[in-house]
Amino acid sequence: MEFMISGRNVAVSDRFREYAEEKIGKVEALGDKVQRVEARVTKQGNVRDADSALTVEITVTGRGPVVRAEATSGDKFAAFDLAYGKLLERLRRASDRRKVHHGRHTPVPVRVATADLGPVSTSEPLYVQVAAAAEERDQEAEEAAAEEAAGECPVLIRRKVFPGAPMSLDDAVDNMELVGHDFYLFVDSATGAPSVVYRRRGWTYGVITLDAKCAEGTEDPREEIRGYRAAETAVDGRATA
């Protein structure tokens, strides 16, 4: 296993190098045929808070996916320990998934299986909490299946396809607020083009539209500003007058 350590805007002392080399040995036992471990210390020169001036990033490269962890602190030793702890936890999880994948199923004690569970909330019904927990388990299972399908590729791309019923820009803004997202993808009924509306500062929104004519050069990119439900407001104003 090759271990490399470097500093950006900060010197790496021999004492820190020895400290990191002594701890990094456990990585080889947990990782999947680890080939290289790289630690990088970065000092942020424009950070006012001294407690977040140093960042340590540790990257493990091996036969499986790349595993990375980072942490920030005012002391590089403390930042290293925090990042190292995160890295070990992620390596243990990856190791457990490999064991289950290869058929080495080991019964998990109840106290271990429930160690990470928080107390039952009294602010919402129990069936809501059960449904949320089930959804979280399904999501974790989906992510594990995606990682298995991707094999050794460290980068995963997930595609989701939704029905694209045309709607107005104002309706898209309303739907985005209903689902509580910061953006909403839709088909603009006025242009028939795929568009995405997103939340900006305050009560302002933005929309990005893809236009094939602009790509062909037959039309120029353009920008416009209008009010929310402006057409309906104008109609109501004339009706009142």
Side-chain angles (χ1 to χ4, degrees):
M1 181 185 73
E2 181 183 8
F3 176 60
M4 300 290 295
I5 185 168
S6 60
R8 182 179 180 184
N9 300 328
V10 62
V12 178
S13 64
D14 292 339
R15 177 169 170 262
F16 181 75
R17 188 184 303 273
E18 293 172 359
Y19 179 82
E21 289 177 349
E22 182 180 353
K23 283 204 164 188
I24 216 69
K26 293 183 180 179
V27 171
E28 190 171 10
L30 289 173
D32 188 9
K33 293 188 176 180
V34 177
Q35 300 170 352
R36 178 187 176 94
V37 178
E38 183 177 357
R40 186 175 185 180
V41 186
T42 303
K43 183 177 182 181
Q44 306 293 341
N46 57 350
V47 176
R48 296 181 179 179
D49 187 2
D51 293 337
S52 59
L54 290 168
T55 299
V56 172
E57 180 181 353
I58 309 175
T59 304
V60 177
T61 306
R63 188 180 68 176
V66 174
V67 181
R68 181 180 291 108
E70 72 173 51
T72 301
S73 179
D75 177 74
K76 57 179 174 288
F77 288 88
F80 181 88
D81 288 341
L82 291 172
Y84 180 70
K86 294 179 182 179
L87 183 73
L88 291 185
E89 180 61 28
R90 291 169 186 175
L91 288 172
R92 288 191 185 100
R93 292 180 182 178
S95 177
D96 291 341
R97 285 197 296 267
R98 288 196 303 272
K99 290 178 181 179
V100 172
H101 175 65
H102 288 90
R104 297 195 291 272
H105 298 271
T106 304
V108 180
V110 174
R111 61 179 180 81
V112 176
T114 59
D116 296 333
L117 297 179
V120 177
S121 174
T122 58
S123 61
E124 57 184 4
L126 182 60
Y127 71 88
V128 174
Q129 301 177 55
V130 173
E135 183 179 355
E136 184 177 354
R137 287 196 301 270
D138 292 342
Q139 183 176 356
E140 291 178 354
E142 182 182 349
E143 291 176 353
E147 291 181 1
E148 181 177 347
E152 299 182 359
C153 180
V155 181
L156 302 179
I157 300 176
R158 176 177 297 160
R159 179 192 297 273
K160 290 187 177 182
V161 179
F162 298 94
M167 67 179 65
S168 68
L169 172 58
D170 299 315
D171 289 338
V173 171
D174 292 340
N175 286 340
M176 180 184 68
E177 292 293 349
L178 286 174
V179 297
H181 290 172
D182 293 328
F183 69 93
Y184 191 83
L185 181 65
F186 69 104
V187 177
D188 195 334
S189 58
T191 62
S195 305
V196 59
V197 64
Y198 60 94
R199 184 181 290 109
R200 302 184 67 194
R201 294 184 301 271
W203 289 97
T204 59
Y205 302 89
V207 61
I208 299 174
T209 300
L210 299 179
D211 193 336
K213 294 180 180 179
C214 293
E216 296 169 357
T218 57
E219 289 189 5
D220 295 330
R222 58 191 180 277
E223 182 176 342
E224 61 182 17
I225 299 177
R226 71 170 182 85
Y228 171 74
R229 302 285 182 187
E232 298 176 7
T233 302
V235 171
D236 293 342
R238 287 197 298 271
T240 303

